[in-house]
Amino acid sequence: MARIALKIDVDTLRGTREGVPRLQALLQRAGAGATFLFSLGPDHTGRAILRVFRPGFLSKVARTSVVEHYGVRTLLYGSLLPGPDIGQREASTLRAVRDAGFEVGVHCWDHIDWQDHLTQRDAAWTLRQMARAVERHTQIFGSAPRLHGAAGWQFNAAAAQAETTLGIELASDTRGEGPFIPVADDGRVIGPPQFPTTLPTLDELIGIDGLDAQNVHAHLLGLTAGSDRDQVYTLHAELEGMKLMPVFERLLQGWQAQGHQLVTLGDLAAAVDRSALPRHRLQQDEVAGRSGLLAVQGAAWTPAV
């Protein structure tokens, strides 16, 4: 039976406060496992306006109704309104997810800061950002995180090395085809095993080729029908946990009808022999339906003969 790991990115205060409890309840009713990755510092979503200059950003905004999904107040945080500290305000919500039996981990400290600035900053900045998130996770849950999933799939070699320094054991920071060990050009391991997102997300599909909230689930189910391959599906508390919850509910029912196990990233990792995972370089590339460059599973590395 193939496994689909449900990776839930939680980006904002509203997503944490409203979307997370709703997803938790839905998954419990369905008997499905999932991994929740939390933004643990300030919500500065309003600063994303600077992305207007990024190729493809405006068309994505037009397709995915950003104001409708995130709300006006969220879109002012960090600009006209101060950015609320998510981890401080919603610590009890986060612990409730863990106490309900779901896997939890780190998404980021400041979602906008990481997503918009990682590739222009040095290794020291990257380590500081990740260390703040790890420290907050430890304060909230009483234990250090073992899992990291980068905001917006913004990731590089410095971030992979920071994961190793901070004791992260497994990660889902990239897009790709299957689990791999990230390596430098010389084959040196630079980070923990990666379990990349393998399926497209709702906001990448809706508004493209006639897909909408009524039929997008059928498209995704078509990608997994009859497959015995493990997958990772990334959803967002601000989307599937709110307005697009009916779409996600149809997906859950469809995947279970297809015979797939809905699991955590940790479950997926426990089922593979890490010593046998292929080694791949990290690469920056475009992903259909998303603006800018993302970290993807690059070329396979093999020792020189």
Side-chain angles (χ1 to χ4, degrees):
M1 184 183 295
R3 293 169 291 263
I4 299 177
L6 300 176
K7 167 179 168 277
I8 303 173
D9 289 352
V10 186
D11 298 345
T12 66
L13 176 66
R14 186 184 184 201
T16 307
R17 181 174 288 169
E18 300 178 30
V20 165
R22 295 183 68 197
L23 283 171
Q24 177 184 322
L26 173 60
L27 292 164
Q28 287 177 304
R29 290 196 301 272
T35 299
F36 286 76
L37 299 176
F38 295 113
S39 300
L40 296 167
D43 182 348
H44 287 149
T45 303
R47 296 179 184 176
I49 190 63
L50 297 176
R51 295 180 195 164
V52 71
F53 302 107
R54 184 179 297 173
F57 179 72
L58 287 179
S59 61
K60 182 175 181 295
V61 168
R63 287 191 295 105
T64 55
S65 304
V66 169
V67 174
E68 201 173 336
H69 290 300
Y70 287 83
V72 172
R73 188 174 185 82
T74 297
L75 296 177
L76 296 177
Y77 286 150
S79 55
L80 297 180
L81 293 175
D85 188 312
I86 301 170
Q88 279 189 350
R89 291 198 181 191
E90 295 298 321
S92 60
T93 302
L94 275 55
R95 284 192 289 267
V97 172
R98 187 268 318 271
D99 294 345
F102 294 101
E103 185 173 58
V104 296
V106 168
H107 193 38
C108 59
W109 173 253
D110 181 328
H111 190 279
I112 299 302
D113 211 11
W114 180 276
Q115 190 168 344
D116 288 355
H117 300 130
L118 172 71
T119 57
Q120 290 84 42
R121 301 302 174 92
D122 61 16
W125 180 91
T126 301
L127 180 59
R128 285 195 302 271
Q129 285 276 314
M130 291 182 65
R132 294 183 80 177
V134 165
E135 180 181 11
R136 176 60 64 77
H137 181 286
T138 304
Q139 291 170 351
I140 292 172
F141 295 106
S143 61
R146 62 186 294 263
L147 176 63
H148 183 271
W153 299 279
Q154 295 301 299
F155 193 71
N156 56 18
Q161 291 167 340
E163 287 179 334
T164 298
T165 300
L166 295 168
I168 299 296
E169 299 173 18
L170 66 134
S172 183
D173 304 302
T174 57
R175 305 294 289 262
E177 298 300 318
F180 67 96
I181 302 294
V183 297
D185 288 340
D186 60 3
R188 175 176 48 88
V189 175
I190 58 173
Q194 286 283 333
F195 291 80
T197 296
T198 58
L199 291 167
T201 65
L202 291 187
D203 57 333
E204 291 164 2
L205 294 171
I206 289 174
I208 301 292
D209 297 331
L211 295 177
D212 56 30
Q214 303 309 311
N215 60 20
V216 68
H217 70 287
H219 175 81
L220 278 163
L221 291 173
L223 299 179
T224 58
S227 173
D228 60 359
R229 172 186 164 202
D230 288 344
Q231 306 273 10
V232 175
Y233 175 69
T234 294
L235 57 145
H236 292 83
E238 294 76 15
L239 302 178
E240 285 93 335
M242 299 175 74
K243 186 176 175 62
L244 296 181
M245 179 165 275
V247 180
F248 183 52
E249 193 160 13
R250 291 194 290 271
L251 270 177
L252 287 179
Q253 294 167 352
W255 278 329
Q256 289 177 324
Q258 288 178 348
H260 297 296
Q261 262 187 303
L262 302 175
V263 301
T264 68
L265 287 166
D267 292 332
L268 215 58
V272 303
D273 178 358
R274 297 192 189 192
S275 66
L277 289 179
R279 297 185 173 198
H280 286 258
R281 298 171 179 85
L282 296 174
Q283 181 178 323
Q284 300 293 314
D285 206 349
E286 295 181 346
V287 169
R290 196 160 290 277
S291 61
L293 297 176
L294 278 58
V296 304
Q297 182 175 3
W301 183 89
T302 52
V305 179

